Amino acid sequence: QGHLTVYYTRDWKVVNTYPLDLFDAVEVIWSPNNAYLTVWDNSINYRLIVFSHMYGQVLRYEPYNFALGIKVVKFSNNSLFLAVGSFDEKIRLLNAQTWQ
């Protein structure tokens, strides 16, 4: 199990460290409002985790196993929605207020 660590770059002090229950994290993105940090697994494992500065892990999303997973992840400009494009040719849209 790995970790994702966020640093404050003015003095390089650790802001927060999040445990990652992923096989091989491939990308990390911030939401446009900087409230959420999203990381996902390699294309073989469909697993996405969202962290909040205030609440820690707010979502672990894994709709299926043993098939190709995530192609692309994008937040809407207002950070209210998270779109997850997958190798199964579907786009899953998650509400960032309820995470459903």
Side-chain angles (χ1 to χ4, degrees), residues 37-53:
L37 189 59
T38 304
V39 59
W40 59 94
D41 219 332
N42 61 31
S43 60
I44 296 173
N45 299 302
Y46 199 126
R47 189 174 300 149
L48 176 131
I49 301 174
V50 180
F51 297 100
S52 162
H53 302 298

Side-chain angles (χ1 to χ4, degrees), residues 53-64:
H53 302 298
M54 301 288 289
Y55 305 108
Q57 183 176 316
V58 294
L59 175 70
R60 178 191 162 105
Y61 188 66
E62 192 172 356
Y64 58 80

Side-chain angles (χ1 to χ4, degrees), residues 41-48 60-72 84-92:
D41 219 332
N42 61 31
S43 60
I44 296 173
N45 299 302
Y46 199 126
R47 189 174 300 149
L48 176 131
R60 178 191 162 105
Y61 188 66
E62 192 172 356
Y64 58 80
N65 293 314
F66 308 115
L68 290 177
I70 297 171
K71 278 187 182 179
V72 64
V84 182
S86 310
F87 282 97
D88 64 359
E89 302 301 320
K90 294 182 182 176
I91 296 174
R92 290 162 172 89

